[in-house]
Every structure is written in structure tokens, then in C-alpha cells.
């Protein structure tokens, strides 16, 4: 199995998971792949990288961090490669863009922690769902600032990523309570703020995150608890500006029930969507590495970063 197949499988089987991590993992794999590539011309090198990128994008469909990261390194490299010749300089250039993405993406998580932690008050009770590096960065930064916080972590069925969050927080000395997903409303009256990550942010400010997030947002709104999303800016989905919908991954039914149970209950249909969509009106703030935005203002951030304008599209 080559590096691309191994990376594809590791992402598909969730050995590496979480939107930011899979983006960096795929970019690292492309970097390693490029160093082993034999090619006949610059065009051939670019074509092989593009094919490898397209292949890796297919490993999981929902987190737009994955295609955005791959497009970032390949497009930047292509612009630079225009003026480059020779195997060494082409490979060096691509490697640099991969390292640039990995560094920027890791720094973004740290900055989200610094910016988002300003919104955490001493004594706050927080709730988080699934396992998001960006969300944990805010919580851990607030804890490092000696704010006295308590955190509820949901189990996050069926894959139990909430246990990873609970374990990380507890190892860092945070006061953590693990709860089952269906206990969220029961505890919500005690929660000041919910903090979750995102796999994608749509043009209208809707958030795509782990299944159950939208139900938690609904409970938070009803209980008047604040709902904060922590997400790097490269999780904004450019395609949604042009009307495309974000694909929600359907995971294997055996993540929910055993093969044995299913064989005894052949007429029971099992559905296992991995993500859901939280409408913008349930979100108080999106914390990115460059600042805090209301969800409806996410277009401004996108325009600022990528210079996109409606005029360009309509002409
Ligand atoms: C992970 C998940 C996380 C986001 C953001 O789902 O929904 O909340 O990916 O994470 P899965 P991060 O476990 O199915 O990949 O902030 O680490 O990018």
C-alpha cells in the first residue's frame, strides 16, 4: 500500500479524525508523496499531484477543511511553479507550501484559543460535544489563564469522541463531567456556554458539525445559554456561495449495532449520518484565528481573505 492509499484508509476508517487533523494529515501525505514522485515534465508533476489530491479528497466527504487544504497547497504551488524549472526546485516549492499550510493551520488553533478564551468568564460552566481541537483550545487556554471553569462533555455516540475530549481536559486539570448525549437538556440550565468545533461553515453562517450539534444548539437557545463555534477560517465552504450543499457523510450502520443484532432484526433499517447542520440563528459567535464573527457575517471574512466578489461571478 502506498502513502496515498494508507492515508486515504486512515482517514476513511477514522484512525485520524477531526476536520483540522485530517487536513494536515492529507497535506503531509501529499508532501511525502511528492518527494517520491517520478515525472517527465513540470506538467506531469502538477497532474500527478492534482490526481493524488483529488483521490485524498474522496476519503471523507463532509469536512471542507480537507479539499480547502489540498487546493491551498496545490494552487499556491502551481502559481509559483510557473517560474521554476528542475526536479529539486519543483519538489522544494511544493514541500514549502505543505509546510506553510501545516504551520498556519496549527497556529490558527492556538489563536482561536487566545481569542475565544476572552469570552470565557471566571466561574463559567461549559459544554462541548465530540472532540474538536479548536473548541478544546479555547477551553484549555481559559483554564491556563486560571479561570475557574467546569466542563460537561457529551459521550458523542456512536464513536464516543467525547471520551477523548473528557480525557484531554481532565489530564490538563480541568473539572470535567461526562454525560450521555440525551442528558444535554437536563444539564443545559447549568451551562453558561456551549463550545463546539465545525467541519464546515456554509455561506449563510450555518455550521456543519458532529451529529447532535444542532439538537444541542436548540437546547441552548431554549435555555438561553450561549452557543459558540470554534473554527479555522479554512473551514468556510466556498462552494456553498454558489448554491452547492455540503454532503453529510453516512457512516456504516455497524457503528451503531452489531452484525449479530442486525442479522436477527433484518427488517430494521439503520441510518448513521455523522454530521448535522446548525442554522445560523442558533449560533452566537464563530471564533476564527483572525477574530470573532457573527455567523451571518462570515461572508465578510471570506471576502477579506480571498478577495471574492459577487461582481466577479456575475460578469
Ligand atoms: C469531528 C467533529 C469535530 C470537527 C472539528 O468528527 O465533528 O467537531 O471536526 O474538529 P469526526 P477540529 O470525529 O467524525 O471526524 O476542531 O479538531 O477540526
Amino acid at each position: 500500500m502506498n502513502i496515498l492509499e494508507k492515508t486515504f484508509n486512515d482517514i476513511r476508517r477514522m484512525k485520524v479524525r477531526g476536520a483540522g487533523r485530517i487536513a494536515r494529515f492529507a497535506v503531509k501525505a501529499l508532501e511525502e508523496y511528492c518527494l517520491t514522485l517520478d515525472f517527465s515534465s513540470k506538467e506531469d508533476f502538477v497532474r500527478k499531484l492534482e490526481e493524488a489530491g483529488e483521490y485524498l479528497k474522496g476519503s471523507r466527504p463532509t469536512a471542507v477543511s480537507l479539499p480547502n487544504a489540498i487546493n491551498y497547497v496545490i494552487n499556491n504551488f502551481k502559481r509559483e511553479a510557473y517560474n521554476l524549472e528542475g526536479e529539486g526546485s519543483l519538489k522544494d516549492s511544493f514541500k514549502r507550501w505543505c509546510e506553510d499550510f501545516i504551520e498556519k493551520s496549527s497556529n490558527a488553533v492556538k489563536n482561536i484559543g487566545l481569542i475565544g478564551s476572552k469570552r470565557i468568564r471566571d466561574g463559567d460552566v461549559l459544554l462541548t460535544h465530540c472532540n474538536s481541537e479548536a473548541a478544546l483550545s479555547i477551553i484549555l487556554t481559559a483554564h491556563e489563564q486560571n479561570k475557574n471553569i467546569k466542563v460537561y462533555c457529551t459521550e458523542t455516540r456512536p464513536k464516543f469522541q467525547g471520551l477523548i475530549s473528557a480525557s484531554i481536559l481532565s489530564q490538563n486539570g480541568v473539572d470535567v463531567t461526562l454525560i450521555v448525549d440525551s442528558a444535554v437538556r437536563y444539564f443545559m440550565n447549568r451551562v453558561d456556554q456551549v463550545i463546539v468545533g465545525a467541519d464546515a461553515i456554509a455561506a449563510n453562517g450555518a455550521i456543519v458539525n458532529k451529529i447532535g450539534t444542532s439538537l444541542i444548539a436548540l437546547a441552548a437557545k431554549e435555555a438561553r445559554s450561549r452557543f459558540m463555534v470554534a473554527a479555522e477560517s479554512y473551514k468556510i465552504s466556498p462552494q456553498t456561495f454558489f448554491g452547492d450543499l455540503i454532503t453529510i457523510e453516512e457512516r456504516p450502520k455497524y457503528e451503531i449495532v452489531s452484525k449479530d443484532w442486525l442479522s436477527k432484526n433484518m427488517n430494521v433499517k439503520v441510518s448513521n449520518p455523522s454530521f448535522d447542520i446548525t442554522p445560523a440563528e442558533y449560533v452566537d459567535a464563530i471564533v476564527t484565528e483572525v477574530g470573532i464573527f457573527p455567523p451571518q457575517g462570515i461572508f465578510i471574512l471570506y471576502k477579506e481573505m480571498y478577495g471574492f466578489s459577487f461582481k466577479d461571478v456575475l460578469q
Side-chain angles (χ1 to χ4, degrees):
M1 203 189 301
N2 69 23
I3 174 81
L4 293 182
E5 286 163 348
K6 187 182 173 314
T7 304
F8 183 98
N9 287 336
D10 284 352
I11 296 175
R12 167 67 55 93
R13 294 185 187 141
M14 293 175 67
K15 256 187 165 174
V16 177
R17 44 143 300 281
R21 277 194 205 90
I22 62 175
R24 285 194 293 277
F25 190 60
V27 164
K28 191 73 200 160
L30 280 179
E31 181 185 337
E32 281 175 33
Y33 172 70
C34 119
L35 298 178
T36 63
L37 252 185
D38 288 327
F39 57 94
S40 55
S41 63
K42 195 193 305 187
E43 291 69 30
D44 186 39
F45 183 60
V46 170
R47 188 181 50 77
K48 284 179 170 153
L49 287 178
E50 284 178 334
E51 278 171 10
E54 288 309 308
Y55 172 68
L56 291 179
K57 284 179 196 176
S59 55
R60 281 191 86 185
T62 301
V64 296
S65 50
L66 181 61
N68 283 353
I70 291 171
N71 292 341
Y72 175 87
V73 294
I74 292 183
N75 291 340
N76 278 307
F77 164 70
K78 274 165 71 177
R79 270 191 285 276
E80 193 170 88
Y82 195 67
N83 295 313
L84 297 174
E85 285 307 332
E87 177 172 342
S89 51
L90 288 171
K91 287 186 172 177
D92 277 354
S93 162
F94 187 68
K95 190 170 167 355
R96 267 199 314 277
W97 281 111
C98 291
E99 281 164 11
D100 174 74
F101 172 78
I102 291 168
E103 192 188 337
K104 280 194 178 134
S105 148
S106 308
N107 285 342
V109 175
K110 283 189 207 124
N111 279 343
I112 287 172
L114 291 172
I115 294 171
S117 61
K118 293 183 191 165
R119 291 287 176 96
I120 312 276
R121 295 153 304 188
D122 194 36
D124 266 357
V125 176
L126 310 173
L127 183 144
T128 191
H129 182 55
C130 195
N131 172 246
S132 154
E133 272 187 320
L136 290 198
S137 176
I138 295 179
I139 299 172
L140 288 171
T141 308
H143 175 69
E144 280 160 21
Q145 293 163 348
N146 290 323
K147 288 177 185 162
N148 175 25
I149 50 173
K150 286 188 176 30
V151 183
Y152 287 104
C153 289
T154 57
E155 277 182 313
T156 320
R157 269 193 56 83
K159 296 285 284 179
F160 297 104
Q161 294 94 324
L163 273 65
I164 306 173
S165 294
S167 171
I168 294 173
L169 291 171
S170 160
Q171 280 162 17
N172 281 278
V174 178
D175 179 340
V176 188
T177 307
L178 186 68
I179 60 172
V180 297
D181 298 333
S182 44
V184 162
R185 183 61 190 91
Y186 179 87
F187 288 104
M188 192 56 86
N189 286 343
R190 305 177 200 175
V191 171
D192 298 296
Q193 307 203 51
V194 175
I195 307 178
V196 294
D199 282 78
I201 304 170
N204 63 359
I207 303 296
V208 180
N209 192 49
K210 179 55 54 195
I211 191 79
T213 302
S214 64
L215 210 51
I216 296 172
L218 193 63
K221 192 167 182 70
E222 191 246 341
R224 309 270 193 279
S225 306
R226 287 180 63 79
F227 190 91
M228 179 148 84
V229 175
E232 303 87 316
S233 58
Y234 70 95
K235 290 174 180 168
I236 302 172
S237 162
Q239 288 77 16
T240 56
F241 288 98
F242 303 106
D244 286 345
L245 298 174
I246 292 164
T247 307
I248 299 294
E249 177 181 12
E250 180 74 23
R251 300 279 313 166
K253 50 191 172 223
Y254 304 114
E255 287 183 356
I256 301 184
V257 288
S258 68
K259 285 192 177 154
D260 181 44
W261 186 89
L262 212 56
S263 68
K264 292 180 191 137
N265 296 277
M266 304 269 274
N267 291 331
V268 177
K269 294 186 226 93
V270 179
S271 182
N272 184 17
S274 195
F275 301 95
D276 65 18
I277 300 161
T278 301
E281 43 296 8
Y282 295 165
V283 178
D284 289 295
I286 301 177
V287 185
T288 73
E289 72 279 16
V290 291
I292 301 188
F293 290 81
Q296 294 81 358
I298 212 67
F299 171 69
I300 297 166
L301 169 61
Y302 192 78
K303 191 170 151 67
E304 174 80 16
M305 299 190 73
Y306 303 101
F308 163 85
S309 98
F310 286 121
K311 204 167 119 270
D312 301 336
V313 179
L314 295 176
Q315 266 175 356

